[in-house]
Amino acid sequence: MLDFNERRTVFVTCKDRSVDYLEKEIRELGFFPEKVHRTGVELKASLEDCMDLNLHLRTASHVLFEIRSIYLHQASDIYRRIKALPWEDYLDVDGYFSVNSVVENDTVTTPLIVNVKVKDAIVDRFREKFGRRPDSGSEFSGLVIQVYWKGTQAQIYLNTTGDTLAKHGYRKIPGKAPMMEDLAAATIMATEWNTRVPFINPMCGSGTLAIEAALMACKRFPGLYRDHYAFMSILGYPEEAYQAKMKKLRDKVIDNPGVKIIASDISLQSISFAKENAATAEVEHLIDFQVCDFAETEIPEKPKGVIMFNPEYGERLGEEEELAETYSRIGDFLKQKCAGYRGYIFTGNLSLAKKVGLRASRRIEFWNGTIDCRLLKYDLYEGKKEE
């Protein structure tokens, strides 16, 4: 049985181009990253720490706890090396487990081969020791084993998360072309919004950006909306420690942070969806939802804050031509009505972004799925720039 307080190597994964924001979150929680990779952060932590990481992180995908690093030369080595590991220390004989793997080795044509060999090795070890075996499958409903194999070295992890942390659990109605919650959180962090000045989100769609902003403002963390993690299936899981952490999570919530968050959309249906999602997240009272054309969105005079657009990208030629006018109107709106604010446009279409007619002071790279995107920052000066 594992000691939940023993510190080992932990690897927290995230989407490509989001690691700076993940590292910031991890440091704010009091942890000290040892290595920062392109898609994750490595640190020393215990399984109890992994529980905290899972409950708090907004920009992460999975929290992986390393149980062994082994030498693997070729596919035929997998069964023997995996079977030698003490799986009965991690998994109940009557439990359930799944295996996921990422492999870069010339002897392996598909990670599915590795998954099967790992499953067979674990099952056979249990049969030999106990005369029976745990169930296995592809669902992340029990213990989750993650294999990273590159060259001749393989890291074997317990995936303490299970289903990805990218989904924060409150969005029951995604709406059209939604932005994932982890990406929304990362883009808001990239604006350096301080949660004290207004956050304005015209063309809000199903409300993800506004809701994530509200969650940050009132210190509501993703763990409040989820009741199952893979760490709960690790042998020796301390239920009482988890409940204590959940209480601390609830105690952090600020019911009324006193910040102005405005979300508008011309579609009544989109605003209805956004309100339902905000109600599930328990932040509907913090967001002023408005049904209107984006140009009619209320812009508070003081204090100046952040205004952020996530317009459509136009995947087909006809759509792109129609959206050119929209992007041009967004530029006019930012210039004429948002002086003193920091303006942002998140887009996966840089040719459309040129229609905005303003010079971006920063171009921050992100991926939205497989779409190469930019968060464009516009400094909206009051009066002339020199002043």
Side-chain angles (χ1 to χ4, degrees), residues 53-288:
L53 291 165
N54 276 292
L55 292 171
H56 286 86
L57 294 175
R58 304 181 195 274
T59 63
S61 298
H62 294 96
V63 180
L64 310 177
F65 184 80
E66 186 177 294
I67 57 174
R68 198 65 58 92
S69 179
I70 61 176
Y71 175 84
L72 281 182
H73 179 64
Q74 55 194 8
S76 59
D77 296 333
I78 298 170
Y79 179 87
R80 175 178 56 84
R81 299 302 306 274
I82 294 297
K83 189 181 177 186
L85 299 180
W87 294 106
E88 62 277 8
D89 289 350
Y90 319 133
L91 174 64
D92 190 278
V93 67
D94 297 316
Y96 174 94
F97 75 99
S98 58
V99 180
N100 190 42
S101 56
V102 177
V103 180
E104 291 181 36
N105 181 279
D106 293 338
T107 68
V108 178
T109 55
T110 170
L112 295 177
I113 294 173
V114 176
N115 294 355
V116 171
K117 287 181 177 291
V118 171
K119 284 181 183 179
D120 288 346
I122 294 171
V123 164
D124 288 350
R125 181 180 176 94
F126 273 95
R127 277 204 189 100
E128 290 177 10
K129 281 188 166 288
F130 304 102
R132 63 189 198 277
R133 51 154 289 183
D135 288 332
S136 63
S138 58
E139 294 181 3
F140 284 178
S141 58
L143 189 79
V144 181
I145 298 157
Q146 177 71 52
V147 179
Y148 276 98
W149 179 12
K150 185 173 183 178
T152 59
Q153 201 66 30
Q155 276 74 41
I156 315 299
Y157 296 96
L158 298 181
N159 181 336
T160 67
T161 304
D163 288 324
T164 180
L165 295 172
K167 298 177 181 180
H168 293 172
Y170 60 80
R171 197 170 67 181
K172 305 305 180 186
I173 309 175
K176 182 183 177 182
M179 178 187 279
M180 286 289 289
E181 295 96 304
D182 62 332
L183 176 59
T187 57
I188 293 170
M189 291 173 67
T191 71
E192 299 181 350
W193 179 57
N194 64 13
T195 74
R196 295 187 297 276
V197 296
F199 182 89
I200 318 297
N201 178 215
M203 303 174 73
C204 70
S206 59
T208 306
L209 279 167
I211 293 169
E212 287 295 326
L215 294 174
M216 292 178 185
C218 65
K219 298 190 182 300
R220 284 185 170 272
F221 292 93
L224 292 170
Y225 310 103
R226 180 167 171 166
D227 58 10
H228 182 268
Y229 296 89
F231 61 69
M232 295 173 172
S233 296
I234 299 173
L235 207 59
Y237 156 65
E239 170 71 20
E240 67 286 349
Y242 168 73
Q243 293 300 338
K245 292 177 188 300
M246 284 298 296
K247 183 181 184 303
K248 285 183 179 179
L249 211 62
R250 290 189 288 268
D251 290 344
K252 290 180 181 180
V253 174
I254 303 169
D255 287 327
N256 185 11
V259 65
K260 188 76 169 176
I261 299 173
I262 298 173
S264 71
D265 202 284
I266 199 168
S267 165
L268 176 60
Q269 184 183 58
S270 291
I271 291 296
S272 297
F273 290 169
K275 284 183 175 180
E276 286 192 47
N277 290 331
T280 303
E282 300 182 69
V283 294
E284 186 182 5
H285 65 291
L286 298 177
I287 304 172
D288 179 3

